[in-house]
C-alpha cells in the first residue's frame, strides 16, 4: 500500500521537477536574461493583388531624408511653416496624413529614405521613417538612394534589414541572378479574389538600384544602372510576357541623362532644378523601350522637380521632395505622388489593366490634389483574348 502511494507521489511530482529542470537549464544557457525574445516578421498578404473594385493604388514617397526624429531640424521651411519647431516628425505626420487620406495598397519608398549624415543609427532611423506604413499595416517596397548608406550600415545591410521589417515586400536581389547593387527585384500585382485572373500578374513592378556615387576617368559622378541589372530586367520581362502582356512600372532613384531633354520637349508639373544624373549613359531608356511592357518610370533625387515627361512613349515622373529634412524651397509644400491603376470590367469578371493615372498631394492645409493625368490607357482596339499569348511558352 505504501509502495503504491509512493509511486503515485512520484508520478505527480515528476512533471514539476522536469519543468523546474528545464527552466534552470534555460537560465544557464541564456547568458542575457534581458535579451529580447525572437519575433516573427508581420508579413504582407502575398501575392499583392487588385482590390475587389478593380483598383490598385501606389503611394510614392521620395526622399524622406529622415534623421533622428524630433532632434533633426527641417530644411528650407518658412517661419510660418513651423520654423525652429519643425523636425523629422513633420515628415512622419505627412506620411500618416497621406496614408489615411489615400489608403494605398502599396507604398514605394524610392530612395534617400534616411539621410546618412544626420542619422546616428541607420536601423533606428529606418524604423522611425517607415513606422507609419507598419502602423497602418500597409505593404511597402523600398529602394536605396545615394545617401542611405552614409550612416552605420552598408547598402547590402540596409536592403537586408528593410526586407525583414514588418509588412515589407522589399527584396535584396533576385534569386538565380548575379546583378550589380542591392534592391533589384520584381513584384507582380495579381487579379482580385474571385476573378478569372486571380493567379495572374496584371501589373508588374520593377525596382532597381541606381547606385550612389562613382568616379569615372578621375571625375566624381552619380551612380547608374549597370548592364547586369538591365540583363536581368530584360529576362524577367520576357518571361512574364510569355503569359500575359501586362503593363509594367519601374522605380529607381537617380534619373537617367535623357530626362534633361524634357525641358525642351514638354512636361507636366514643376521643373525647378537641373537634372542631377550620372555622366554615364548605360542604355536604360533603350532597354525599357525594347521591352515593350514599361509604361512609366518613377524617380526621386531632385527634390524641386515633380514633373512627368514622355520619352519614346514612356512617362518619366518625379515624386517631388517628401521629407522635411531634405532640401526644398520655402512656401513650396512637400509632396507625394499617387499612382492609380484600374482594371477593365468584363461580362463575368475583371480583366486586364484599363488605365494608369497619377496625381500629387501637397502637405498643405487641404492636402491639395494637383496635376492629375493619365499615363497609359489600354487601346480600345485590343480585346481580352488577344492580350494573351499562345504557344508552348504560354
Amino acid at each position: 500500500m505504501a509502495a503504491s502511494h509512493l509511486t503515485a507521489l512520484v508520478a505527480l511530482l515528476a512533471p514539476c521537477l522536469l519543468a523546474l529542470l528545464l527552466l534552470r537549464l534555460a537560465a544557464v544557457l541564456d547568458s542575457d536574461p534581458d535579451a529580447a525574445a525572437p519575433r516573427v516578421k508581420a508579413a504582407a498578404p502575398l501575392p499583392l493583388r487588385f482590390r475587389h473594385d478593380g483598383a490598385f493604388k501606389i503611394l510614392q514617397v521620395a526622399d524622406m531624408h529622415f534623421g533622428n526624429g524630433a532632434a533633426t531640424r527641417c530644411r528650407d521651411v518658412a517661419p510660418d511653416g513651423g520654423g525652429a519647431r519643425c523636425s523629422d516628425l513633420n515628415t512622419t505626420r505627412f506620411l500618416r496624413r497621406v496614408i489615411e487620406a489615400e489608403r494605398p495598397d502599396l507604398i514605394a519608398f524610392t530612395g534617400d529614405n534616411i539621410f546618412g549624415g544626420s542619422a546616428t543609427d541607420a536601423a533606428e532611423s529606418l524604423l522611425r521613417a517607415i513606422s507609419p506604413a507598419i502602423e497602418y499595416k500597409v505593404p511597402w517596397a523600398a529602394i536605396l538612394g545615394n545617401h542611405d548608406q552614409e550612416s552605420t550600415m552598408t547598402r547590402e545591410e540596409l536592403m537586408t534589414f528593410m526586407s525583414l521589417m514588418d509588412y515589407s515586400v522589399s527584396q535584396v536581389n533576385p534569386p538565380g541572378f548575379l546583378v550589380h547593387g542591392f534592391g533589384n527585384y520584381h513584384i507582380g500585382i495579381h487579379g482580385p479574389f474571385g476573378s478569372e485572373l486571380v493567379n495572374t500578374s496584371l501589373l508588374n513592378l520593377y525596382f532597381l538600384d541606381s547606385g550612389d556615387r562613382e568616379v569615372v576617368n578621375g571625375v566624381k559622378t552619380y551612380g547608374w544602372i549597370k548592364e547586369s541589372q538591365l540583363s536581368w530586367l530584360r529576362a524577367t520581362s520576357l518571361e512574364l510576357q510569355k503569359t500575359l502582356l501586362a503593363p509594367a512600372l519601374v522605380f529607381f532613384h537617380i534619373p537617367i541623362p535623357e530626362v534633361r531633354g524634357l525641358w525642351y520637349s514638354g512636361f507636366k508639373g514643376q521643373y525647378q532644378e537641373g537634372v542631377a544624373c550620372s555622366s554615364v549613359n548605360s542604355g536604360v531608356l533603350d532597354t525599357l523601350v525594347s521591352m515593350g511592357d514599361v509604361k512609366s518610370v518613377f524617380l526621386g533625387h531632385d527634390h524641386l522637380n515633380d514633373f512627368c515627361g514622355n520619352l519614346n512613349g514612356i512617362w518619366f515622373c518625379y515624386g517631388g521632395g517628401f521629407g522635411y529634412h531634405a532640401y526644398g524651397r520655402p512656401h513650396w509644400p512637400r509632396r507625394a505622388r499617387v499612382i492609380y491603376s484600374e482594371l477593365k470590367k468584363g461580362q463575368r469578371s475583371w480583366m486586364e489593366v484599363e488605365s494608369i493615372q497619377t496625381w500629387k498631394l501637397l502637405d498643405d492645409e487641404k492636402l491639395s490634389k494637383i496635376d492629375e493625368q493619365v499615363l497609359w490607357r489600354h487601346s480600345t482596339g485590343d480585346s481580352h483574348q488577344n492580350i494573351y499569348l499562345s504557344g508552348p511558352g504560354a
Side-chain angles (χ1 to χ4, degrees), residues 110-163:
T110 52
D112 283 359
N113 310 303
I114 63 174
F115 188 65
S118 300
T120 55
D121 184 293
E124 183 65 27
S125 180
L126 270 175
L127 287 168
R128 291 182 180 182
I130 307 293
S131 62
I134 297 173
E135 175 186 339
Y136 287 91
K137 301 181 180 180
V138 181
W140 58 277
I143 49 177
L144 300 172
N146 53 292
H147 288 300
D148 296 277
Q149 79 289 338
E150 294 172 347
S151 179
T152 58
M153 299 172 77
T154 66
R155 295 177 75 82
E156 182 176 13
E157 290 169 340
L158 286 163
M159 279 309 307
T160 301
F161 184 73
M162 288 192 291
S163 72

Side-chain angles (χ1 to χ4, degrees), residues 51 56 102 157 197 228 230 242 289 310 339 358 374:
R51 302 193 302 248
F56 192 87
E102 291 289 339
E157 290 169 340
L197 300 174
S228 62
L230 297 178
K242 290 180 180 179
V289 171
N310 196 291
I339 306 128
T358 188
V374 176

